[in-house]
Amino acid sequence: MEPMRGDLVVKGRSCEDDRCKQGGSKVWFCVDCDSGFCEHCWDLQAQHKLGKVARDGYKHEKAHYGMLKVYQDILQPPATPGQLRQLHDDDTDTLWFGVTKDESGVPRFEDHGRYASLMANSPSTSGTNTAKYPQLVSFVGVTNAGKSTVVKMLIDRHKSNDPDSMENDFPSPVVGSAVNDRVPTSGDVHLYADPYTFQSRTPRLYADCEGLEGGESIPYGAQSRKRTDSFSNSGKLKKHSAKRLQGRPRNIAWADNDLRRKREYTVTELYPRLLYTFSDVIVFVLRNAKTFQSAVLTKLLQWGAAGLEKSLNQPTLPHAVIVLNATEMGIEEEEWNPKTATASLLKSLSTALDRIGGVPELQDLANTWRSERHTEIRTVRDLIERYYASFTVVRIPAKGRYTLMDKQFNSLLQVINVNCRESLETKRRARMLSNTDEWNIYLQAGFDHFTSNLDTPFNFIEVSLKNNPLPENFGDHIRQLATAILAVYPDPKKTSGQWIFENLGSMVASCILLDCVQYRKGEQY
Ligand SMILES: [Zn+2]
Ligand SMILES: [Zn+2]
């Protein structure tokens, strides 16, 4: 018996037009019609005829149902505080570092070992050279700008090909809900793996940083951690902490008065220095482009100033990306292109350095560059480029236009890709590329450094020398050369000690001879 048509209709997979004769062809989903149509039937719908528009004044949009589900789920966060709390409890495992207070109110810096445990789980690559070079992309912004949502979308859109699969290999941030929008959602800094690059030799990590205006109200995420911690004291939830490779808590040496003990002070002083020093890309998320100058630009440059002046021999400057989140429809079509969006945002700032009517903080920075370092600063772009390797603006639409949203997230991902690649190249050229373990050494040194002092520079070379001391005599040099050869030919069957020194011998001998002939003629060697 022929099944009734209704039995066959699967949301987003079958054409819902009763006249349809081409059951198997590709089906588009229309959010405004809440229906799926095949290519042929799409145009038959009265609402899809030429000149018809949806409530926002634009044509109905063809959407891929799987992709749409991913975005819709993210944009409809849990409704009750109970559900939200549960999600935050689950999210404590992704906590990277943060500040807690002991009973007497003294703040302590805690590294939760997230970086080490994440990289320990990173699958090994094939081939002889298995070294991995992690890259860090940090997301910052004011509370409620949708920062965690952006990170979540970058991670979860990976699932859009198979939305029904429930497995979640890649945790993503908890997104706030309207239930309690005064309290920032995520506390401290969480670290997530990017599913697209995690298997590769350059795994990318996303850091979701607490809203940067700080504030004394403890964010949801941090409240949740408090509960979890008190559980583990009673032994109930021990597995949480045992799973992590927890670092030791550090005292914050500079928290020596009431102002400096404030949570806000730590969040606004310590986190930026750490993230600026270690990030390849910094993404600033904001909702309203009009607040860019006051809410972001000044902060972005002050961060840069604090970070740049506070670290020596930093291998590269981070790249800056501005995400204009929840952009309403109705802007010029071209504005969705990052190039145009960047140009027009910079244009809106063209008077910021004017002697009359400019922004004092920016003028001060520009003057410092002009007078102390004799650098020409004509435009805001010149100033930004003193602190950041590049500057790009990407617009993300408000909810409802999911195909456009997907396209914009794709653009954002492309921008991040290009920036990460450039950053990697610059570090490689500067011979400052760090593998997984070296990165952790720098990171721990950075934690030590900035918790003991906010004002002296963090020196990459110093840390590097401490870990790889320069050879002091001829023997040390030869040993280092042998180690370097071993790193290039790691196959143990071929590279015995004997093999290395046999091959190295004649080269070293000719170097000694050359040195004799060129510099030490007649001298005793
Ligand atoms: Zn059809
Ligand atoms: Zn429609």
Side-chain angles (χ1 to χ4, degrees):
M1 200 179 85
E2 281 259 302
M4 281 170 60
R5 271 208 97 247
D7 295 343
L8 286 174
V9 173
V10 182
K11 195 165 186 184
R13 298 247 177 91
S14 337
C15 179
E16 292 179 49
D17 193 302
D18 291 334
R19 298 161 288 183
C20 185
K21 294 187 190 75
Q22 3 192 317
S25 76
K26 184 171 171 66
V27 169
W28 294 106
F29 195 78
C30 179
V31 178
D32 295 294
C33 299
D34 191 31
S35 308
F37 302 109
C38 69
E39 195 72 57
H40 176 75
C41 300
W42 180 277
D43 296 330
L44 297 180
Q45 309 308 310
Q47 304 91 317
H48 297 171
K49 301 261 191 239
L50 214 63
K52 295 280 181 162
V53 291
R55 275 184 300 179
D56 60 4
Y58 289 81
K59 278 195 333 194
H60 287 199
E61 188 185 62
K62 283 180 180 170
H64 177 268
Y65 189 67
M67 173 271 292
L68 174 128
K69 277 300 286 173
V70 169
Y71 287 117
Q72 274 185 337
D73 288 352
I74 295 171
L75 290 167
Q76 267 143 26
T80 70
Q83 284 170 321
L84 190 61
R85 204 168 300 132
Q86 181 59 47
L87 287 174
H88 278 298
D89 284 347
D90 297 344
D91 194 39
T92 50
D93 274 354
T94 67
L95 196 59
W96 183 16
F97 59 80
V99 173
T100 52
K101 284 189 176 180
D102 65 11
E103 301 81 30
S104 49
V106 177
R108 285 161 80 82
F109 180 87
E110 273 188 77
D111 164 24
H112 298 274
R114 170 71 174 158
Y115 170 77
S117 66
L118 201 57
M119 294 320 293
N121 289 323
S122 159
S124 56
T125 49
S126 54
T128 46
N129 193 346
T130 53
K132 289 191 165 212
Y133 304 95
Q135 298 200 281
L136 180 65
V137 182
S138 297
F139 291 77
V140 292
V142 294
T143 301
N144 291 325
K147 177 175 43 69
S148 301
T149 314
V150 170
V151 182
K152 192 174 180 62
M153 286 183 176
L154 284 174
I155 296 173
D156 286 4
R157 69 199 285 280
H158 190 248
K159 297 192 293 200
S160 69
N161 294 330
D162 189 10
D164 298 333
S165 93
M166 286 306 289
E167 72 176 307
N168 189 7
D169 292 340
F170 291 95
S172 56
V174 177
V175 169
S177 72
V179 177
N180 192 352
D181 60 6
R182 286 286 177 80
V183 181
T185 317
S186 48
D188 298 325
V189 180
H190 290 252
L191 192 66
Y192 303 93
D194 165 44
Y196 294 95
T197 55
F198 196 55
Q199 329 271 347
S200 75
R201 287 192 55 199
T202 51
R204 194 182 300 154
L205 304 172
Y206 292 140
D208 182 6
C209 186
E210 179 175 342
L212 275 185
E213 67 280 59
E216 288 307 292
S217 54
I218 300 179
Y220 254 10
Q223 288 176 16
S224 158
R225 177 157 42 88
K226 269 195 162 168
R227 275 193 309 280
T228 319
D229 288 351
S230 52
F231 263 123
S232 43
N233 286 341
S234 66
K236 268 186 193 162
L237 265 174
K238 270 272 157 62
K239 70 179 170 73
H240 262 292
S241 39
K243 243 194 301 187
R244 300 189 207 124
L245 306 162
Q246 201 139 358
R248 69 200 151 79
R250 292 166 168 88
N251 289 322
I252 301 177
W254 41 262
D256 51 4
N257 61 35
D258 283 349
L259 170 73
R260 288 172 160 231
R261 271 190 211 117
K262 281 197 164 175
R263 200 189 152 72
E264 182 179 352
Y265 190 84
T266 323
V267 171
T268 51
E269 295 294 323
L270 177 62
Y271 293 3
R273 282 175 172 81
L274 281 171
L275 295 177
Y276 185 88
T277 306
F278 291 103
S279 299
D280 295 277
V281 184
I282 299 179
V283 182
F284 294 81
V285 182
L286 79 158
R287 252 170 208 278
N288 185 352
K290 292 199 184 93
T291 63
F292 175 73
Q293 184 185 297
S294 57
V296 177
L297 182 61
T298 326
K299 213 167 263 173
L300 183 140
L301 296 177
Q302 281 165 349
W303 265 43
L308 191 65
E309 280 145 29
K310 296 297 170 269
S311 54
L312 284 178
N313 300 311
Q314 188 168 352
T316 65
L317 295 177
H319 293 255
V321 178
I322 309 297
V323 169
L324 297 179
N325 200 12
T327 300
E328 291 297 336
M329 300 296 291
I331 54 166
E332 300 264 337
E333 185 70 29
E334 262 302 294
E335 281 289 317
W336 297 110
N337 179 342
K339 263 198 189 125
T340 317
T342 308
S344 59
L345 188 68
L346 285 171
K347 200 174 158 213
S348 74
L349 299 169
S350 57
T351 57
L353 292 181
D354 286 359
R355 218 159 281 169
I356 300 158
V359 184
E361 290 96 335
L362 303 185
Q363 288 166 332
D364 287 350
L365 282 175
N367 286 335
T368 313
W369 277 98
R370 287 174 189 136
S371 59
E372 287 176 17
R373 298 173 219 195
H374 309 289
T375 311
E376 188 67 66
I377 305 284
R378 288 169 201 272
T379 61
V380 171
R381 175 166 225 145
D382 289 345
L383 191 57
I384 294 174
E385 283 173 352
R386 294 293 112 212
Y387 300 104
Y388 295 89
S390 73
F391 176 79
T392 318
V393 178
V394 182
R395 287 180 178 275
I396 303 288
K399 83 181 197 187
R401 292 279 159 183
Y402 298 103
T403 302
L404 178 62
M405 189 176 270
D406 194 51
K407 184 172 156 253
Q408 293 308 105
F409 269 103
N410 212 21
S411 301
L412 176 59
L413 206 59
Q414 293 312 320
V415 169
I416 294 176
N417 282 344
V418 170
N419 287 347
C420 279
R421 221 174 298 138
E422 261 180 40
S423 181
L424 189 84
E425 258 326 295
T426 317
K427 284 183 182 171
R428 199 195 301 279
R429 275 199 302 272
R431 301 194 179 280
M432 292 288 279
L433 197 58
S434 327
N435 67 26
T436 314
D437 295 334
E438 289 160 350
W439 209 88
N440 202 25
I441 291 171
Y442 284 121
L443 183 70
Q444 297 300 327
F447 287 165
D448 284 339
H449 180 87
F450 287 117
T451 49
S452 43
N453 201 323
L454 281 180
D455 300 317
T456 54
F458 175 71
N459 191 334
F460 277 86
I461 301 268
E462 196 182 288
V463 176
S464 165
L465 286 180
K466 214 179 274 171
N467 291 290
N468 309 292
L470 277 185
E472 280 177 4
N473 55 34
F474 188 63
D476 274 351
H477 277 283
I478 302 281
R479 183 185 47 77
Q480 210 177 42
L481 180 60
T483 321
I485 294 176
L486 190 65
V488 184
Y489 301 98
D491 183 355
K493 271 180 237 142
K494 283 189 209 143
T495 7
S496 61
Q498 196 185 347
W499 181 87
I500 291 179
F501 283 98
E502 267 170 18
N503 283 283
L504 180 146
S506 52
M507 203 250 305
V508 172
S510 59
C511 289
I512 296 174
L513 202 63
L514 182 68
D515 184 63
C516 275
V517 171
Q518 280 185 330
Y519 302 108
R520 298 171 207 256
K521 244 178 207 166
E523 283 177 41
Q524 211 177 3
Y525 200 73

